[in-house]
Amino acid sequence: MSRTKRQWGGVAALAALTLLVCSGCENDEQSVLDPVSHPARDIASLWWWMLAGSVVVFLGAVGLLVLAWIRRNRSGMPVFGENEGIARGFVVLFGILIPIVTLVGLFTIGNILVLPVTQAPAAGSTSLTVEVTGHQWWWEARYPGTKAVTANEIHIPVRTRVLLVGRSADIIHSFWAPNLNRKIDVIPGRENRILLYSDQVGRFRGQCSEFCGVQHAHMGLYVYVEPKAQFEAWLERVSQPAAAPSGSEAEHGRELFTSMPCAGCHTIRGTTAAGRLGPDLTHVGSRETLAALTIPNDPGYLAGWIADPQHYKPGNQMPGLRLDDAELQALVAYLEGLR
Ligand code: CUA
């Protein structure tokens, strides 16, 4: 009796641990199971059906194992005893027929019902296009028809069909914002398309989901879904050239930026800085994060990033510059003012 109690105690402890672990997943900013669009909802339903099916199969297999262990000293099956025909029937049923029906069923549902829903949107069925280019290790986003260029933080209007055209500047990456849709690889020399749609306003996290080098994990992105008017205002603002520096320190920062190697890699529209290797910094001060969501965008982190870019993201292409404190502060003052 006490042994049984101890066993139930173990089960309860395991259940509590599972709950504790799962409570860590409650941030649903990046989750397949918190869909905000029709394609993502179909993917989530498929996931739940597959989970339910695999739980049944798993419990069945564990149940049979337990049964075999309990009856390890007895011959024959419970109820049916030693019956060669029934034993063979079980093998055919559970080993051949049920797997065939299950796998064919999942294949059919996945390929005929869910996959077409997540395919690239039909030409002309979208009202906005965002061109996203994967780089080692950040995302560039352009809005054709405007001058807007941003990095890692993509804004789209709510309840609007947006065509995302995915490209790569170097090697294969994969764009995945799981609350909105499935993932698409971005492949050098190719264009892949997917629908970005959300019926909810909010911030959703995405992640590169194809291993692309040492900082693959630090290749995150945000999709901001905004009311239409707010999105239009954002697009209008980021289409403008950079703001003029306010104050002498920021002024000095701009001189440093355009005269130092910074300008060879980064563009700040409205200045002579026109590099294309790193992210466009025209409105960098208005972004929430730096280095593809690796660190928050505030003066302290920005200074740390410029002073030693390899500290937060080893292997990235940004070189460290030998700057004294005053120069660093001037650069930070200028860049944080680019809103
Ligand atoms: Cu880009 Cu992984």
Side-chain angles (χ1 to χ4, degrees), residues 8-26 47-48 51 55 58:
W8 280 114
V11 169
L14 191 67
L17 185 69
T18 309
L19 263 179
L20 198 66
V21 169
C22 288
S23 67
C25 324
E26 71 187 8
W47 189 92
W48 283 112
L51 178 71
V55 164
F58 178 73

Side-chain angles (χ1 to χ4, degrees), residues 173-190:
H173 306 269
S174 184
F175 179 95
W176 191 30
N179 302 64
L180 282 83
N181 208 335
R182 69 175 163 100
K183 55 181 83 169
I184 48 162
D185 280 4
V186 296
I187 298 169
R190 279 190 62 114

Side-chain angles (χ1 to χ4, degrees), residues 224-285:
Y224 294 86
V225 182
E226 296 166 334
K228 280 188 182 123
Q230 191 183 334
F231 168 78
E232 295 295 342
W234 174 84
L235 190 61
E236 167 66 22
R237 180 171 60 74
V238 296
S239 301
Q240 303 298 320
S246 62
S248 59
E249 190 177 43
E251 182 83 46
H252 180 46
R254 179 169 69 177
E255 280 162 27
L256 286 169
F257 192 96
T258 50
S259 63
M260 290 200 315
C262 315
C265 293
H266 295 281
T267 291
I268 295 181
R269 280 176 287 119
T271 73
T272 55
R276 293 291 299 272
L277 203 61
D280 183 300
L281 301 180
T282 307
H283 298 281
V284 66

Side-chain angles (χ1 to χ4, degrees), residues 21-302:
V21 169
C22 288
S23 67
C25 324
E26 71 187 8
N27 181 359
D28 45 17
E29 194 174 60
Q30 178 181 321
S31 171
V32 180
L33 302 181
D34 191 25
V36 294
S37 70
H38 175 40
R41 262 178 220 113
D42 275 17
I43 292 169
S45 309
L46 180 63
W47 189 92
W48 283 112
W49 278 105
M50 288 179 75
L51 178 71
S54 54
V55 164
V56 170
V57 171
F58 178 73
L59 292 181
V62 170
L64 288 176
L65 273 174
V66 170
L67 187 66
W69 182 75
I70 290 171
R71 297 176 54 86
R72 63 193 177 285
N73 295 325
R74 275 173 281 176
S75 63
M77 290 179 287
V79 184
F80 303 107
E82 286 191 55
N83 184 323
E84 190 65 23
I86 289 184
R88 196 177 299 125
F90 274 131
V91 171
V92 170
L93 179 67
F94 290 111
I96 301 175
L97 291 181
I98 290 183
I100 287 179
V101 170
T102 310
L103 293 177
V104 168
L106 280 176
F107 180 84
T108 310
I109 293 168
N111 280 272
I112 296 178
L113 297 180
V114 178
L115 204 59
V117 176
T118 68
Q119 289 294 40
S125 72
T126 53
S127 48
L128 175 75
T129 299
V130 186
E131 296 174 347
V132 172
T133 305
H135 296 255
Q136 278 175 313
W137 291 280
W138 57 281
W139 301 96
E140 175 183 342
R142 292 174 179 269
Y143 292 75
T146 75
K147 290 195 160 59
V149 188
T150 186
N152 310 312
E153 299 187 3
I154 300 169
H155 293 239
I156 61 168
V158 71
R159 285 185 289 282
T160 304
R161 288 172 62 84
V162 179
L163 171 66
L164 183 141
V165 180
R167 305 194 183 98
S168 171
D170 35 51
I171 61 172
I172 301 176
H173 306 269
S174 184
F175 179 95
W176 191 30
N179 302 64
L180 282 83
N181 208 335
R182 69 175 163 100
K183 55 181 83 169
I184 48 162
D185 280 4
V186 296
I187 298 169
R190 279 190 62 114
E191 269 182 12
N192 282 336
R193 288 152 192 266
I194 200 168
L195 176 75
L196 272 196
Y197 180 90
S198 172
D199 48 30
Q200 285 173 32
V201 166
R203 186 183 75 177
F204 302 100
R205 194 183 186 284
Q207 171 67 40
C208 179
S209 62
E210 177 83 40
F211 181 72
C212 56
V214 288
Q215 291 299 337
H216 156 71
H218 283 150
M219 191 165 167
L221 64 104
Y222 279 139
V223 179
Y224 294 86
V225 182
E226 296 166 334
K228 280 188 182 123
Q230 191 183 334
F231 168 78
E232 295 295 342
W234 174 84
L235 190 61
E236 167 66 22
R237 180 171 60 74
V238 296
S239 301
Q240 303 298 320
S246 62
S248 59
E249 190 177 43
E251 182 83 46
H252 180 46
R254 179 169 69 177
E255 280 162 27
L256 286 169
F257 192 96
T258 50
S259 63
M260 290 200 315
C262 315
C265 293
H266 295 281
T267 291
I268 295 181
R269 280 176 287 119
T271 73
T272 55
R276 293 291 299 272
L277 203 61
D280 183 300
L281 301 180
T282 307
H283 298 281
V284 66
S286 65
R287 297 206 277 264
E288 220 179 324
T289 62
L290 295 170
L293 276 52
T294 307
I295 48 177
N297 184 11
D298 66 28
Y301 274 108
L302 180 58

